[in-house]
Structures are given as C-alpha cells and as structure tokens.
Amino acid sequence: MIWENNEDIILKTCDSSARAVQHVLDECRELRTPYVVITPAMREVTALRRIVVPVSRLEEEIYKAEICTYLARKTGAHIILLQANDYGSRARINVGKMVTHIKAVSEKTGIPISYEIIQAKKDSSKVNREAAERQRDFVADLILLTASREYGLDDLLFGPQERHVIQRALVPVMLVNPREDLFSLCD
C-alpha cells in the first residue's frame, strides 16, 4: 500500500461503523499532518492516479490545494476539483485560489500538474457527499477532505460530513485539519 512508507501522512484504519469512524476522527482532531482513513470496504490503492477534491464555500478549503499539489507532484496524479454548485461566488473563488497554487507550484518545480474543474450538482453543504457518491464516475483513488473545524449541533446529532463520506467511500479518504496553527505539510 502506498501510504505505509510515507512519513508525511498518518494512516488510520477502522471498521466502517459510525462509532469506529467517529473515534478515529476524534483521535485525529489535533494532528498537524494529513491523515488517511481506511476501512475494510475500501479497495487497496497501489498507485495514486486521480484525487477528488470537493471544494465548498468555506475559506479553509484552500488548504487542500497544498496537499493535493504535494501528492500530485510526488505521484503524477490528476487532480479533480469538484466545485460546489452554490449561488454565491465563494466556492468559485476558492477553486480559483487552488488553481493559482497548483500552477505556481508546477511552474516553480518544473513538474507539470494535471487538474480539471468539475461543477458539482450539489451545494457546499453536500459537495463532500457528492464526491463519495461519484467516486466511481471519477475513477478516484483518493478523496481529499477538510475536517470539520468545530462540530455544530447538526454534526453532534447526525455526525460530521467527513464521517459520512468515510462510511460511504470505496477509496481511502484523506483529511486535513483546517486550522492554520495545526498545518505543517507544505511545498
């Protein structure tokens, strides 16, 4: 498996029950590095070819640009930016910032980074779930999410979005803690 020898990424395995996934999420809330969650339902990934990155209106989404660019540079993977279908322009602005970062790293390193922008059918509140639902359409090898900063009432009652994605995903899910003070992996 490609994750086991990477010092920059933490690997977490668990069964796909809500309780087990939530335990992993709680355990990883303060990590300074990205972490990959794998359940028995997910297929083993031997090579990263396509990374799906759902992008919502939230400002912390742009942190995922550094991670997906790093992974694409190291593996040659193609990045799919799944832009939320919102009425406002925030998701589009976040995608623009991510593309700017991808292009800058590509120019700086001389390593071409392949990406595309796909308009999601769902809005910011459901774009992460859409990524899990459409992972087969995208032939994804990884879904990259931002972990919830704080749990709101709906997260406490129904569980955070990332938990639902992990439970539905057939490929590993990488999470990034969005707080700047906890972020350490960069290009």
Side-chain angles (χ1 to χ4, degrees), residues 57-174:
R57 61 177 158 51
L58 300 175
E59 189 175 320
E60 60 264 17
E61 293 290 278
I62 60 174
Y63 290 122
K64 292 190 288 191
E66 293 186 40
I67 302 299
C68 68
T69 303
Y70 170 84
L71 292 171
R73 216 180 67 214
K74 297 290 185 185
T75 65
H78 177 74
I79 301 168
I80 299 170
L81 299 172
L82 184 62
Q83 180 180 314
N85 188 12
D86 291 338
Y87 291 111
S89 60
R90 285 175 148 180
R92 184 175 39 80
I93 289 169
N94 285 344
V95 166
K97 288 178 181 178
M98 293 173 93
V99 166
T100 299
H101 179 79
I102 292 167
K103 288 180 178 179
V105 169
S106 185
E107 288 176 17
K108 179 181 174 186
T109 62
I111 299 170
I113 299 172
S114 169
Y115 72 92
E116 68 182 298
I117 301 166
I118 296 179
Q119 183 67 51
K121 297 172 185 167
K122 299 183 179 179
D123 65 9
S124 285
S125 65
K126 295 185 177 85
V127 70
N128 288 343
R129 287 188 189 193
E130 181 175 340
E133 292 165 3
R134 295 179 65 190
Q135 63 195 337
R136 285 189 176 153
D137 298 341
F138 299 137
V139 193
D141 296 307
L142 178 72
I143 299 172
L144 177 57
L145 303 178
T146 305
S148 298
R149 276 187 294 192
E150 302 295 330
Y151 290 150
L153 182 59
D154 58 335
D155 294 324
L156 295 173
L157 293 174
F158 307 113
Q161 286 188 31
E162 58 267 26
R163 187 181 86 198
H164 296 285
V165 171
I166 292 167
Q167 290 180 275
R168 288 179 174 84
L170 300 174
V171 296
V173 176
M174 178 178 281

Side-chain angles (χ1 to χ4, degrees), residues 32-71:
R32 294 180 55 90
T33 58
Y35 54 100
V36 176
V37 180
I38 299 176
T39 68
M42 297 173 180
R43 67 176 169 80
E44 185 173 328
V45 175
T46 55
L48 270 184
R49 294 176 300 272
R50 296 173 75 82
I51 304 167
V52 176
V53 184
V55 184
S56 75
R57 61 177 158 51
L58 300 175
E59 189 175 320
E60 60 264 17
E61 293 290 278
I62 60 174
Y63 290 122
K64 292 190 288 191
E66 293 186 40
I67 302 299
C68 68
T69 303
Y70 170 84
L71 292 171

